[in-house]
């Protein structure tokens, strides 16, 4: 009976940790949540090791030790799922959910597809590009050009990411599109400051949350995760910068 409970608790912990890691949570938050869930169910001797690509979780007892590895391949940003997992974790800590109820609640959260539509994402990326131009002290005459360039660049990112499913390539080609469109708009007199338009248009592609999490993980002592996320953010920045540099060099 004790072994069965250990297995069920481990499955709950790993499912919660996997969803947190996949949707943009910090490494220390993932480990802390898993340990809190296990402790709430009476498993006080536990260890968790989390890196951006996987989770190792162990439960120790006098009878035996259970360890399981979960591989994490896809990572995105979904703060709503993180919030919902945290709600389930708090309910477990307060003793309001059994192991089975917690597992069912987590599975329900995982099954929900709450991502915004392509139209909504495109509209948000376009408007934010124009707003970033104003924030970076650009003129209002560059607002619409930035909206156009940012929207087309983000649309290109979504298309290439669906086509090749390689983030670096998608971001590089999206930056090329932004550079070409911005140059054309300024060349025909529709825009004025090329640098402001480009800077505003690439902002929806900038890995701000990833970079923030990398710094927070490093400050929390998670060196492997912090360096890994920092390298990921650097590759994204390199892809964006490389795409823009090639366009400006050739044109």
């Amino acid at each position: 009976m004790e072994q069965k409970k250990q297995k069920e608790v481990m499955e709950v912990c790993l499912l919660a940790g996997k969803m947190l890691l996949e949707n943009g949570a910090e490494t220390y938050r993932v480990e802390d949540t898993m340990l809190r869930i296990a402790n709430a169910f009476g498993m006080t001797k536990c260890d968790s090791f989390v890196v951006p690509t996987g989770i190792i979780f162990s439960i120790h007892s006098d009878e035996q030790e259970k360890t399981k590895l979960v591989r994490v391949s896809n990572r995105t940003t979904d703060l709503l799922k993180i919030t919902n997992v945290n709600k389930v974790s708090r309910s477990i800590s307060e003793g309001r959910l059994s192991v089975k109820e917690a597992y069912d609640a987590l599975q329900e959260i995982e099954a929900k597809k709450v991502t915004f539509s392509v139209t909504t994402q495109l509209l948000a990326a376009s408007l934010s590009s124009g707003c970033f131009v104003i924030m970076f002290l650009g003129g209002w005459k560059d607002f619409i050009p930035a909206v156009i360039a940012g929207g087309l660049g983000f649309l290109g990112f979504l298309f290439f990411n669906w086509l090749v499913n390689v983030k670096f390539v998608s971001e590089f080609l999206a930056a090329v599109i932004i550079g070409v469109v911005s140059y054309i708009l300024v060349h025909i007199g529709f825009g004025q400051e090329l640098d402001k338009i480009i800077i505003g248009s690439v902002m929806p592609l900038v890995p701000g949350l990833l970079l923030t999490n990398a710094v927070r993980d490093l400050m929390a002592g998670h060196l492997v995760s912090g360096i890994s996320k920092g390298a990921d953010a650097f590759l994204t920045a390199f892809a964006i910068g490389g795409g823009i540099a090639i366009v400006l060099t050739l044109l």
Side-chain angles (χ1 to χ4, degrees), residues 2 47 60 67 69 80 112 128 144 151 153 162 173 182 189 209 220-221 236:
E2 182 65 25
D47 288 306
H60 312 280
T67 302
L69 166 68
L80 179 58
K112 286 183 179 178
S128 63
I144 299 300
W162 168 79
L173 295 176
S182 300
L209 180 63
T236 297

Side-chain angles (χ1 to χ4, degrees), residues 2 4 41 51 61 64 71 86 126-127 132 135 137 154 163 165 198:
E2 182 65 25
K4 181 181 179 182
F41 287 128
V51 292
S61 66
Q64 64 173 351
R71 186 79 164 82
N86 286 336
S126 301
L127 290 177
F132 276 119
M135 190 180 77
L137 304 180
F154 190 78
L163 188 65
N165 198 26
I198 290 177

Side-chain angles (χ1 to χ4, degrees), residues 185-218:
L185 292 175
V186 172
H187 186 70
I188 64 177
F190 190 56
Q192 290 184 333
E193 298 181 85
L194 179 61
D195 56 338
K196 297 290 196 308
I197 296 174
I198 290 177
I199 292 172
S201 300
V202 301
M203 286 304 293
L205 303 177
V206 173
L209 180 63
L210 185 63
L211 186 60
T212 301
N213 284 349
V215 174
R216 293 185 68 177
D217 283 342
L218 287 172

Side-chain angles (χ1 to χ4, degrees), residues 5-18 29-51 54-60 65-71:
K5 185 179 180 182
Q6 280 186 356
K7 182 179 179 181
E8 292 175 344
V9 171
M10 178 171 284
E11 292 299 327
V12 171
C13 294
L14 286 172
L15 181 57
K18 179 173 177 285
R29 181 192 296 271
V30 178
E31 292 187 350
D32 182 66
T33 299
M34 295 171 68
L35 292 176
R36 285 176 182 273
I37 291 174
N39 291 340
F41 287 128
M43 307 296 168
T44 56
K45 297 180 180 179
C46 304
D47 288 306
S48 62
F49 179 74
V50 178
V51 292
I55 300 172
I56 301 175
F57 190 71
S58 297
I59 296 180
H60 312 280
E65 177 179 311
K66 283 187 173 294
T67 302
K68 191 171 181 178
L69 166 68
V70 171
R71 186 79 164 82

Side-chain angles (χ1 to χ4, degrees), residues 86-185:
N86 286 336
K87 287 180 180 178
V88 173
S89 174
R90 283 192 290 269
S91 296
I92 294 172
S93 299
E94 293 168 0
R96 293 191 279 115
L97 292 177
S98 65
V99 178
K100 186 179 186 309
E101 289 172 340
Y103 189 73
D104 291 341
L106 291 172
Q107 281 191 317
E108 184 179 347
I109 294 172
E110 186 180 34
K112 286 183 179 178
K113 301 294 182 181
V114 293
T115 54
F116 293 103
S117 65
V118 174
T119 303
T120 303
Q121 294 182 54
L122 184 59
L123 180 62
S126 301
L127 290 177
S128 63
S129 297
C131 293
F132 276 119
V133 168
I134 305 302
M135 190 180 77
F136 291 128
L137 304 180
W140 282 102
K141 291 185 178 180
D142 293 326
F143 181 87
I144 299 300
V147 168
I148 296 172
L152 291 176
F154 190 78
L155 184 62
F157 168 75
L158 294 177
F159 173 74
F160 291 120
N161 198 43
W162 168 79
L163 188 65
V164 298
N165 198 26
V166 179
K167 186 181 177 185
F168 180 86
V169 175
S170 304
E171 290 163 342
F172 176 81
L173 295 176
V176 171
I177 293 173
I178 290 173
V180 171
V181 173
S182 300
Y183 180 84
I184 292 173
L185 292 175

